[in-house]
Amino acid sequence: IHFRPQSFLVPAEVDFIGRTETLAHDLGAVLSRIGLQVDRKIPRKNASGPSPLSMRDVTHRTRDSIDRLYRPDFERFGYAMQD
């Protein structure tokens, strides 16, 4: 189970942070930087549909706990709590 903020795992000084939302594009950028072919496709396996849960399904107390624990991630990586 993932519970540790990524801010603890990613070094403070990195020159690129890829995102799952833009994985194909970000992989192309990394491959290009290191001189490899950019036309590679990422296979999609075990894809699931949208989560049946949303932040509306959790209590305010749980939402506050999530916000406190992951605030460094939200700020560092440019995310916000979703409704």
Side-chain angles (χ1 to χ4, degrees):
I1 294 177
H2 166 71
F3 64 91
R4 190 159 190 189
Q6 295 297 292
S7 297
F8 292 131
L9 304 173
V10 178
E13 294 187 27
V14 295
D15 62 355
F16 183 82
I17 294 177
R19 297 174 181 268
T20 57
E21 305 92 291
T22 56
L23 185 59
H25 176 268
D26 292 349
L27 176 62
V30 170
L31 292 175
S32 178
R33 279 186 182 194
I34 62 174
L36 295 177
Q37 234 177 337
V38 177
D39 64 347
R40 297 176 187 222
K41 299 287 183 196
I42 300 173
R44 187 173 173 132
K45 296 183 179 184
N46 296 329
S48 58
S51 172
L53 298 175
S54 75
M55 290 307 288
R56 292 183 200 121
D57 299 314
V58 299
T59 66
H60 287 290
R61 182 177 176 186
T62 299
R63 187 181 172 102
D64 289 344
S65 294
I66 292 169
D67 186 51
R68 270 193 314 277
L69 179 63
Y70 294 108
R71 180 174 301 275
D73 284 357
F74 296 142
E75 291 172 355
R76 181 168 179 204
F77 304 120
Y79 289 98
M81 291 282 283
Q82 300 288 320
D83 285 331

